[in-house]
Each structure stands twice: as C-alpha cells, then as structure tokens.
Amino acid sequence: MSDDDSVMASAAALFDAIERKDVDAVARLYADDVAVWHNFDDVSQNKSANLAVLRGLCEHVPAIRYEIVERHSLGDGRIVQRHVLRARTASGAEIAIPACIFVTVQGGRITRIDEYLDTAQANRLRAATGRPPVGG
C-alpha cells in the first residue's frame, strides 16, 4: 500500500469508526499528540478533549452517517474531505451539517484535523440533544 493509499485508508477508518460510534477505534487512530482544530472557536483540542466531544455526540445522537461529497489526497500525508454529517435525533429528525475537513496522517496515525463546519446546523443538532451551542 502506498503512503497515499494509507492516508486515504486512515481517513476512511476515522469516519467509519464515528458512524459505528466506536470512540475507542477513533482513539487508536489518533496519535497521542493529535490536535483537532475547529473554525468556530479557533482552538485546538487535544486527544482526550476531542474524544470526550465524540463520546457526547455518540451518546446523544441515535444515528450518525457521513455523506462523503469528495475526498482528495493533498500529498505529504494530508487529505481534504467535503462531507455532510447526517445525524438523526431521538425524535427522528435528521439534521444535515455540511463540513470540510483536513486530516494529516504521519506514521500511520492521525496527527492533526482541521474542521470547518456550518455552526448554524451544528447548533440545531446541539439544541435537539440538549447541549449548549458552539461558536458564540
């Protein structure tokens, strides 16, 4: 498997693990010093903080699905992906959150994620699951 294929496989494994709500699998994909940055707060989360957010999402949202619009290798261990996160709430409502994400993989582990998402839609999901809004 080429480095490019390995990076693409790591990205696919990340989104597959989230869809399955397997936060432990996400933890295994992450490097210990992973940094996860979001456009809405301009802050990088460390591994434990990001895994806590993912656990909260998985606990509050019955169904999670990623509709991958496009995924491209940027070379040098990086990919860019545009997707729509489709989350079904306990009431059965589906909320679609458009996003763009950059993933960096080094040594077989995800070392950095830069995520740009539609905070208005993310906050619809957070409100539907009783969580506070993001992005002030």
Side-chain angles (χ1 to χ4, degrees), residues 17 20 38 71 74 89 92 108 130:
R20 291 182 289 110
H38 300 102
R71 181 185 294 154
L74 300 174
T89 66

Side-chain angles (χ1 to χ4, degrees), residues 40-41 53 117-136:
F40 55 80
D41 61 6
V53 168
L117 59 85
D118 181 339
T119 56
Q121 298 308 312
N123 284 332
R124 283 186 59 222
L125 178 60
R126 293 181 72 81
T129 58
R131 295 178 298 152
V134 295

